Each structure stands twice: as structure tokens, then as C-alpha cells.
């Protein structure tokens, strides 16, 4: 039953491929789909919206600023003129100047218009843009790591496909040998135990096919989750080109652009600190209603207004200016240390991967020769078995040796491809 199922599966693949109905995915398509499917991709729009909101808020610093205030007070003493009119003239005796009420009220509306802010608004806008750029580069760096996971799942699935093909060829080879031994039994040249030995190997091959099929399904299921699209058994994963990368090319990882964006953000913070110690200039208009008004000698509710130019300069920030700038310099040195560490580790990893690719190149070159020689040895063993020179166990050993050589060759080819694309991922070239 298992053999029939496997046969039907292979037939379905062949028919689907011949009719052009088989859906095909490439490695580059999986990269793009995984990036679009990853939930974190939504942060791009969130970063853009936050940047626009902050830029809009910063620009509003040039708009007139309105403030309202009101107060009601009661004071124990009020201003009085110490004049004794009786000393000036007897006719003025008993005359008094009205004094202010001890309870006083005032409501004031003030409009301030900034004329010069020392560059604060401009530096805030630059810092907002730098922060958004750094956040985008951080997100780009995080999303780039998806490519490595796609590589593992994609090439893992391709390897299972290759091993399943080799397994199908092994089962076909074993079936041919079972039929041959069955004919020899009919002619009295072999016994039942010889046939059963081959049937045991056939069962082992079918068990291996079950394991490979389950592993293949697992890889495809995980790949489907990553790209947000089902990768069914009928989907063909195209084997990528095996063009070796340029080993002399420079590293172009998004992490390096992240370090640059973080340095730009420190530059914007430096300008913001400089703007913070500059004076501010603007004009204001103040209108109010209260008792007393501007005429302090008039004890009645009166409207009033004041207009003018205001200059302010907060010198308190000079106390921390040097330390604030030193902190930014320390932050810059930390970024450079992280950059150098990243480049060192990446170059070390690239050296290791380049050595691994060179090793796999040498192994792949000899795999074909090993498979060819193992095939010749197996064919010779089949002739010897027909002539009664060797036993069925000897033939089984040669069949397994050839199958192992084919599996090793297939594994080396896929591993070589995976190493090439791992190198491309590490260098982003």
C-alpha cells in the first residue's frame, strides 16, 4: 500500500510538472513574502506616522502661544499715601485719599509670538527625523534576519526532496533485485531467505521514506508559516543558482546603516544642546480685567493691556553643557565600538563560510566519481550474483553503498548551495 501511494505521488508530481500546473516558489520570492508577512512590518507605517506627528508638533512652535490666567487674592495690608492734609491747610482737614481694597481680582490673557528661538525648533525637527531614520534602520536590520531563517527552511526542504528522490530510486533498485532473485528461486539458484533479505531492505527503505516525507512536510509547513502562504506537497521549490559570491566584496549589512543612523541622531542631539543655551526673543500682547487695573490708585474693576518685546536667556544650562556634550561623545565612541565589533565578527564568520564553501567544492567534485564507481561495483555484483559467485547479502551491501554515495552527493550539493547563500546573507552581497 505504501509503495502504491509513493508511486501515485511521484506520478502526480510528473503530471503536474508536465502540464505546467505546478506552483513554483523561488528563494527570492520567499524572502519578499516573509518580510511582507512578518507582523513587525507594520512598524514602518507606525514610525512614519509618529515622525509626521512630531514634525507637525515642532512646527507649531512658531505659532502664537495663548495663555490664560486668573487670580483672586486677599492681603493683610494695601498701599496708602502717608499724607496728612490738615498740615497742608486747615481747610483740607478730614480729607482722605481712598485706599485699595484688600481683596483683589485679575484675569489675564497673553499672546506670545516667538521671533527667534536660538534654533530649538529646527534642532527638534532634525532630531525627530534622525530618530525616525534610526528606528527604520533598526526595523530593517530586524527584518533582514528573516532571510537566514528562510535559508534554513528552504534548503532543508530541498534536501528532503533530493533524499526522497534517491529513496525512490533505491526502492526501484531493490524491487528489480527482488524480481531477479524471485526468478533465481524459480530456477533453483536461490532460496527464500535471499528474497526475504531484500524485502527487509525494501521495508527499511520505505520506513526511511516515511521519515523523509514527515521531515519534508515539517519544513514546508514552517516555511508556509514564515511566508504566509501554504507550501503544499505539489509546490515546487526552485533550486537557486549556484553562482559563488564575490569573496572580495565589502560588507553591506543593514546593521552598518543602523550605526550610521545612530551617529546622525547624536549629531542632531548635539545641535539641540547648543540651541538650548541660546537666548530667546519674541513679542507679547497681554490683556486683562481686574481690580485694580494698571492704575493702582483707582480702586475699581478696569480693563487693561500691555504689549512689548521680551528677551530671555536661561544661563543655567551652561552648568551642564560640558557634561552633556561629553555624554554624546561617549555615546559616539560606543557606537563606533559596536561597529568595529560587528565588522570583526562578520569578517570572521565570512572567513569560516568561505573555507566551508571551498571544502564543499572539493567534496562535490569527487561525489560524481564515487557514485559512478559504486554503480560499477554494484553492476559487477549483480553479474556475480547471477553466476553464483557472491551471495545476496553481498549485493545488498553494494546496493546500500551506492545509495549512501548518492545520498551523500545530494547532501553535499544542497549544503554547498546553503553555504553560498549563507555567505551572501552574512555579507549582504
Amino acid at each position: 500500500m505504501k509503495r502504491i501511494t509513493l508511486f501515485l505521488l511521484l506520478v502526480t508530481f510528473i503530471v503536474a510538472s508536465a502540464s505546467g500546473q505546478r506552483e513554483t516558489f523561488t528563494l527570492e520570492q520567499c524572502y519578499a513574502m516573509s518580510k511582507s508577512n512578518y507582523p513587525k512590518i507594520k512598524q514602518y507605517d507606525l514610525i512614519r506616522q509618529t515622525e509626521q506627528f512630531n514634525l507637525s508638533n515642532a512646527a507649531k512652535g512658531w505659532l502664537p502661544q495663548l495663555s490664560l490666567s486668573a487670580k483672586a487674592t486677599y492681603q493683610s495690608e494695601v498701599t496708602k499715601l502717608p499724607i496728612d492734609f490738615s498740615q497742608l491747610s486747615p481747610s483740607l482737614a478730614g480729607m482722605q485719599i481712598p485706599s485699595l481694597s484688600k481683596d483683589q481680582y485679575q484675569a489675564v490673557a497673553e499672546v506670545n509670538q516667538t521671533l527667534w528661538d536660538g534654533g530649538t525648533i529646527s534642532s527638534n525637527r532634525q532630531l525627530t527625523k534622525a530618530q525616525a531614520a534610526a528606528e527604520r534602520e533598526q526595523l530593517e536590520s530586524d527584518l533582514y534576519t528573516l532571510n537566514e531563517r528562510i535559508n534554513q527552511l528552504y534548503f532543508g526542504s530541498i534536501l528532503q526532496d533530493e533524499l526522497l528522490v534517491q529513496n525512490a530510486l533505491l526502492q526501484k533498485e531493490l524491487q528489480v533485485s527482488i524480481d531477479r532473485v524471485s526468478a533465481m528461486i524459480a530456477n533453483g539458484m536461490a532460496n527464500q531467505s535471499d528474497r526475504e533479505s531484500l524485502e527487509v531492505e525494501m521495508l527499511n527503505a520505505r520506513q526511511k521514506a516515511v521519515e523523509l516525507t514527515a521531515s519534508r512536510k515539517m519544513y514546508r509547513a514552517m516555511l508556509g508559516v514564515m511566508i504566509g502562504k501554504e507550501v503544499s506537497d505539489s509546490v515546487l521549490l526552485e533550486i537557486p543558482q549556484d553562482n559563488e559570491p564575490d569573496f572580495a566584496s565589502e560588507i553591506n549589512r543593514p546593521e552598518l546603516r543602523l550605526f550610521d543612523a545612530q551617529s546622525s541622531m547624536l549629531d542632531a542631539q548635539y545641535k539641540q544642546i547648543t540651541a538650548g543655551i541660546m537666548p530667546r526673543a519674541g513679542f507679547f500682547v497681554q490683556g486683562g480685567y481686574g481690580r485694580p487695573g494698571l492704575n493702582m490708585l483707582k480702586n475699581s474693576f478696569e480693563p487693561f493691556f500691555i504689549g512689548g518685546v521680551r528677551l530671555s536667556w536661561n544661563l543655567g544650562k551652561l552648568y551642564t553643557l560640558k557634561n552633556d556634550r561629553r555624554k554624546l561623545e561617549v555615546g559616539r565612541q560606543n557606537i563606533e565600538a559596536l561597529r568595529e565589533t560587528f565588522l570583526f565578527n562578520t569578517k570572521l564568520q565570512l572567513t569560516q563560510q568561505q573555507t566551508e564553501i571551498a571544502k564543499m567544492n572539493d567534496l562535490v567534485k569527487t561525489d560524481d566519481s564515487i557514485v559512478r564507481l559504486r554503480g560499477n561495483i554494484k553492476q559487477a555484483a549483480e553479474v556475480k550474483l547471477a553466476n553464483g559467485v557472491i551471495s545476496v547479502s553481498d549485493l545488498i551491501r553494494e546496493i546500500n553503498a551506492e545509495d549512501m554515495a548518492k545520498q551523500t552527493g545530494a547532501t553535499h550539493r544542497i549544503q554547498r548551495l546553503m553555504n553560498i547563500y549563507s555567505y551572501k546573507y552574512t555579507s549582504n552581497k
Side-chain angles (χ1 to χ4, degrees):
M1 183 63 183
K2 292 180 180 178
R3 184 170 63 182
I4 295 175
T5 302
L6 180 61
F7 175 78
L8 291 176
L9 181 61
L10 292 174
V11 171
T12 302
F13 284 172
I14 294 173
V15 173
S17 299
S19 61
Q21 297 177 354
R22 194 172 181 187
E23 188 176 12
T24 303
F25 288 161
T26 64
L27 182 59
E28 287 72 20
Q29 287 175 332
C30 290
Y31 287 157
M33 287 188 289
S34 67
K35 185 175 180 179
S36 300
N37 180 60
Y38 200 57
K40 208 168 188 179
I41 193 71
K42 299 176 183 178
Q43 290 187 3
Y44 274 118
D45 187 56
L46 298 177
I47 292 173
R48 181 190 61 81
Q49 292 184 42
T50 302
E51 179 184 15
Q52 293 301 318
F53 293 150
N54 289 336
L55 288 175
S56 178
N57 289 340
K60 287 179 171 59
W62 290 111
L63 297 178
Q65 307 296 312
L66 174 64
S67 62
L68 300 173
S69 64
K71 65 177 181 178
T73 62
Y74 183 87
Q75 53 197 67
S76 61
E77 206 53 59
V78 294
T79 302
K80 295 180 181 180
L81 293 177
I83 300 176
D84 188 353
F85 288 95
S86 62
Q87 294 181 358
L88 297 177
S89 174
S91 61
L92 298 179
M95 182 178 178
Q96 294 182 351
I97 298 177
S99 62
L100 297 176
S101 300
K102 292 185 178 181
D103 56 320
Q104 299 182 5
Y105 308 91
Q106 190 180 75
V108 177
E110 181 174 330
V111 177
N112 288 278
Q113 174 61 57
T114 300
L115 297 178
W116 189 63
D117 67 344
T120 299
I121 294 177
S122 176
S123 64
N124 286 341
R125 288 175 59 85
Q126 292 180 20
L127 180 58
T128 295
K129 294 179 180 179
Q131 288 174 335
E135 290 176 0
R136 278 192 290 268
E137 293 300 340
Q138 179 64 66
L139 180 57
E140 189 67 31
S141 177
D142 294 341
L143 292 176
Y144 184 71
T145 60
L146 295 175
N147 292 357
E148 184 178 23
R149 297 164 67 179
I150 292 296
N151 283 345
Q152 296 172 352
L153 297 175
Y154 193 92
F155 287 105
S157 181
I158 289 179
L159 178 58
Q160 305 311 306
D161 291 340
E162 291 286 329
L163 294 179
L164 275 170
V165 170
Q166 298 302 327
N167 184 270
L169 294 175
L170 173 61
Q171 292 189 45
K172 181 180 178 181
E173 184 72 30
L174 289 173
Q175 187 60 48
V176 171
S177 297
I178 289 174
D179 295 340
R180 182 184 295 114
V181 170
S182 296
M184 293 175 65
I185 292 175
N187 296 326
M189 299 177 61
N191 52 48
Q192 187 64 27
S193 63
D194 294 329
R195 176 188 171 91
E196 291 174 349
S197 296
L198 288 169
E199 289 177 342
V200 169
E201 293 301 319
M202 176 64 82
L203 292 174
N204 289 334
R206 290 174 182 171
Q207 285 185 339
K208 184 65 175 177
V210 172
E211 294 176 357
L212 291 173
T213 301
S215 181
R216 177 178 183 268
K217 183 175 295 185
M218 178 195 67
Y219 275 108
R220 285 175 171 255
M222 294 176 66
L223 182 61
V225 172
M226 288 292 296
I227 67 176
K229 191 170 183 179
E230 181 182 4
V231 186
S232 62
D233 292 338
S234 62
V235 173
L236 175 64
L237 298 180
E238 185 177 295
I239 297 179
Q241 296 180 353
D242 63 349
N243 299 330
E244 290 192 1
D246 181 9
F247 296 121
S249 62
E250 296 181 355
I251 299 172
N252 187 33
R253 288 284 290 272
E255 288 87 345
L256 297 178
R257 293 190 290 275
L258 172 60
F259 295 140
D260 292 337
Q262 290 174 339
S263 295
S264 298
M265 187 169 65
L266 290 181
D267 292 337
Q269 289 177 342
Y270 188 93
K271 293 180 180 178
Q272 188 181 49
I273 291 175
T274 301
I277 62 173
M278 303 300 290
R280 272 77 169 147
F283 70 83
F284 71 95
V285 175
Q286 185 183 94
Y289 185 77
R291 187 184 69 185
L294 295 182
N295 186 354
M296 297 296 295
L297 299 179
K298 193 172 183 180
N299 189 33
S300 62
F301 284 92
E302 298 290 338
F304 62 88
F305 77 91
I306 302 174
V309 178
R310 179 181 289 137
L311 176 67
S312 63
W313 195 351
N314 182 7
L315 299 178
K317 292 186 177 182
L318 292 174
Y319 301 142
T320 61
L321 176 63
K322 185 178 293 185
N323 287 338
D324 290 338
R325 289 178 172 175
R326 285 176 177 175
K327 283 166 57 179
L328 292 182
E329 185 59 33
V330 171
R332 195 183 308 278
Q333 293 175 4
N334 183 56
I335 291 174
E336 291 305 313
L338 292 175
R339 185 199 301 270
E340 292 176 5
T341 302
F342 174 79
L343 287 173
F344 179 84
N345 292 333
T346 302
K347 290 177 181 178
L348 188 64
Q349 187 176 7
L350 288 174
T351 302
Q352 180 182 0
Q353 290 173 341
Q354 184 177 352
T355 303
E356 192 68 19
I357 291 173
K359 182 189 76 174
M360 298 309 300
N361 287 338
D362 294 337
L363 293 176
V364 169
K365 289 178 182 178
T366 58
D367 282 333
D368 291 339
S369 298
I370 294 174
V371 171
R372 178 177 56 81
L373 294 174
R374 282 296 180 185
N376 294 339
I377 295 173
K378 184 206 65 178
Q379 291 176 0
E382 291 174 346
V383 174
K384 291 179 182 180
L385 177 66
N387 295 327
V389 177
I390 63 173
S391 65
V392 172
S393 298
D394 296 326
L395 176 62
I396 291 175
R397 183 176 64 252
E398 299 305 333
I399 291 176
N400 288 335
E402 182 191 28
D403 174 64
M404 183 58 65
K406 290 180 179 178
Q407 289 189 38
T408 301
T411 302
H412 286 167
R413 288 195 303 273
I414 302 303
Q415 285 180 340
R416 176 178 174 273
L417 274 176
M418 186 171 180
N419 289 333
I420 288 175
Y421 280 85
S422 293
Y423 186 96
K424 291 181 178 180
Y425 165 80
T426 304
S427 63
N428 195 25
K429 286 291 186 178

